[in-house]
Each structure stands twice: as structure tokens, then as C-alpha cells.
Amino acid sequence: MNKQLIEQELQQIINSDHVLVDELLKNHTYTKLGGKADFFVTPATIEEVQQVIRYAKNNNVPFTLLGNGSNVIVRDGGIRGIVLSLKKFNAIKRDGNSVIAESGARIIDASRFALEEHLTGLEFACGIPGTVGGALYMNAGAYGGEIKDCLDHALVVNMEGDVQRVEAKDFDLAYRTSNIAEKGYIVLEATFRLQEEDYHAIKAEMDDLTFKRESKQPLEYPSCGSVFKRPPGYFAGKLIQDSELQGKGVGGAEVSKKHAGFIINKTNATATDYIAVIEMVQKAVKERFGVDLEREVRILGED
């Protein structure tokens, strides 16, 4: 891979200020982990997104989409090829009783926008740190609500670089999953179907959920949030707690003493440390309870 040539060609199809070379991905992840991206690209228009996708496809350059890095672990060796960030796609607006949010906007901000517009249906998302695109990707949810409850449709770019409208039912949204990766979609914006409600009633619900989150979760340390999916019939955090793993770790990463479902970057952990703690937890819970913990967090990149 001729990095100098790729850099020059990328700068011909996208603003050169939006192409960073050898960018440290630990600066773009909630865990504060991750090596370098060969090219970190932040397009500002749909046309630039389409051009980058087509360039990568036509030139066999590896291509990875990164949201705001809240639900991913990037390995210490970083990611080869192009890492595409849609952080410049962050507009949120109202259309009737719908909220339309671009994929790089935080789902928290979409929830807060809905509150200000006196619209109910996104309260559950008031503490989810991911982007709108990431929330769709994993059908994010909390406190009894999830994206599939309120999504109407989304605009996506497919791997040919073409823009499509996809209805909510066609994303196969289920517990912490969708078909977005399988279809090769990149979400551009999502439309959420909401209802009018009293501002104070919506705010009271969001305040209650925020209190629950802040009192129970180790928000003072870098982490990827909830690491594991909920196993049928169990709670992951309870299994980890009952396995007496809280406070145990590898290197600078450890299982949170505040919430066993979280693994924190306590003191300059590496991605290798963090992944080792995940594997330690999975092994211990399997041995003690016979339960397989499935990761909710995605792991990207090279060792």
C-alpha cells in the first residue's frame, strides 16, 4: 500500500484538512485505547462520503467506519487503510412529530432535542453515549426502551456508494443487533417517530434515568460502557459480581467495583490489557455458572 499516493488521491476527492495520516485512535475512543489509523477521514458532505467509499472499493483499500468510539475497542496495532468518521454529520431537526438526526450526532443529543421539542419516545437514550449511527447499528437500548421502538426509517449509503432509504422493519433490529454490517450500510441519518407530551413529564423521566445511570455506573473512568450482552435468564453484571471479579484486572484495566458489567481503563491500560480482562471474565463466568457471556462491544484493528 503506497500511503503517500493514497493520501494525495484522498486529498483530491475530499478537503485536505479532513484527511489525517497516522492518527492515534485512542484520541477517538471512550476507552482511550487504540493504535494508529493509516488514514482518518472526516467527510463533510454526502458526496464526499460516496467518493471515499467508491475510492476504497475501486482501489482495494481497507475501509472501516468508526462512530464516536463509545462501543468499540481498537487494538494497539491500530487499523489499516481508511477509517471513516461521520462526526461532522451531527445536525438534528424536527419534522412534524419526528426527529431527524444525522448519524454522527450523539443519541443523547437527539434525546435532549426531543425533550426541548416536547416529544416523547427517546427518553431511554438520554444516557447512551454512542452516535445515532452506532445506536442503529446495535439497536441500542436502556431502561426498557430501544431504537427499534421509535425508528421510522434511515438514509444509508451502500458499498457501491449509492444512497438508499431503508424502512425500520428492513434493518432486522433485535436485541443489540441489526443487519447493517451484513448489508454493508453506512447510516447517514435516522428519522425517529415520536409523540407530543408535556415537557415536565418527559424531563422527570429523563432526570430519573440519569440519576440511576450516574449512581450506578463508573463514569469517572474511561470505558466502553456495558461490555456484555444480557444472557437469557441472567444479568451479566450479577454473574460477574457473583464470580468475585470486581476489582480484578490485567495491567491498567479492571472490572469496575461500582458496576461489574463495566471494565474500566483505570491506569493507562492498553487494548491488550482490556481484551485480556474481557477474556478473563468470560472464562470465570463460564467455569462458575456454565454461562457464555457474549460481547456487546466490538473489537477492531490489529495487535
Side-chain angles (χ1 to χ4, degrees):
M1 184 168 67
N2 185 330
K3 287 178 68 172
Q4 189 173 6
L5 177 62
I6 294 172
E7 179 184 3
Q8 291 170 353
E9 291 177 340
L10 282 172
Q11 289 176 343
Q12 288 172 5
I13 62 174
I14 187 172
N15 186 314
S16 60
D17 293 341
H18 302 168
V19 180
L20 300 177
V21 180
D22 291 333
E23 176 71 1
L24 266 176
L25 291 171
K26 65 190 288 184
N27 297 328
H28 302 277
T29 60
Y30 270 56
T31 55
K32 303 301 179 191
L33 305 172
K36 295 176 180 179
D38 290 337
F39 305 99
F40 187 77
V41 179
T42 54
T45 66
I46 291 175
E47 291 73 22
E48 285 187 343
V49 175
Q50 292 175 292
Q51 287 175 318
V52 171
I53 291 168
R54 288 169 179 155
Y55 173 82
K57 184 172 190 288
N58 293 337
N59 293 277
N60 295 314
V61 178
F63 177 89
T64 303
L65 178 67
L66 184 70
N68 67 347
S70 62
N71 197 49
V72 298
I73 299 164
V74 176
R75 295 183 191 272
D76 299 313
I79 300 176
R80 303 289 67 79
I82 296 169
V83 173
L84 180 75
S85 165
L86 293 182
K87 64 181 183 179
K88 291 186 168 67
F89 285 69
N90 58 12
I92 305 171
K93 64 183 180 182
R94 177 174 182 167
D95 181 15
N97 281 353
S98 292
V99 165
I100 302 173
E102 291 185 337
S103 65
R106 298 190 310 162
I107 192 69
I108 287 176
D109 292 333
S111 178
R112 291 171 180 163
F113 178 88
L115 166 67
E116 296 303 323
E117 295 293 322
H118 301 202
L119 294 171
T120 183
L122 270 175
E123 291 90 331
F124 72 90
C126 69
I128 297 173
T131 61
V132 168
L136 260 68
Y137 182 95
M138 64 174 295
N139 185 31
Y143 299 111
E146 54 189 352
I147 291 297
K148 76 181 184 71
D149 298 335
C150 55
L151 180 68
D152 187 78
H153 67 273
L155 284 186
V156 306
V157 177
N158 63 27
M159 293 315 291
E160 303 300 318
D162 301 321
V163 177
Q164 294 177 231
R165 171 180 163 137
V166 181
E167 302 303 315
K169 64 180 176 58
D170 296 321
F171 282 116
D172 294 342
L173 298 171
Y175 177 65
R176 302 298 176 267
T177 188
S178 71
N179 63 13
I180 288 174
E182 176 192 332
K183 297 281 190 181
Y185 292 149
I186 291 173
V187 176
L188 295 172
E189 68 174 34
T191 297
F192 299 104
R193 186 179 59 255
L194 308 175
Q195 295 84 40
E196 290 222 5
E197 178 60 272
D198 175 68
Y199 171 90
H200 298 287
I202 300 169
K203 189 170 189 305
E205 173 72 6
M206 289 172 66
D207 287 347
D208 180 53
L209 296 181
T210 299
F211 173 77
K212 288 177 179 175
R213 175 173 174 262
E214 291 179 349
S215 62
K216 294 178 181 176
Q217 297 181 10
L219 303 180
E220 63 273 25
Y221 291 106
S223 81
C224 62
S226 183
V227 177
F228 303 103
K229 295 181 181 180
R230 187 177 65 244
Y234 298 92
F235 290 98
K238 183 73 164 61
L239 291 170
I240 297 165
Q241 182 179 326
D242 291 348
S243 298
E244 301 176 354
L245 293 169
Q246 286 176 281
K248 294 186 177 178
V250 176
E254 73 173 42
V255 178
S256 168
K257 295 175 183 175
K258 191 173 183 181
H259 189 312
F262 283 63
I263 294 171
I264 58 173
N265 177 354
K266 192 172 182 182
T267 48
N268 300 314
T270 63
T272 303
D273 294 340
Y274 205 93
I275 293 165
V277 176
I278 291 175
E279 292 169 348
M280 176 189 78
V281 169
Q282 288 173 315
K283 182 171 184 284
V285 169
K286 177 68 172 177
E287 287 176 354
R288 184 148 183 176
F289 297 103
V291 176
D292 291 307
L293 288 182
E294 184 183 350
R295 277 190 290 105
E296 183 174 304
V297 65
R298 290 192 302 147
I299 298 175
L300 304 175
E302 301 180 349
D303 288 323

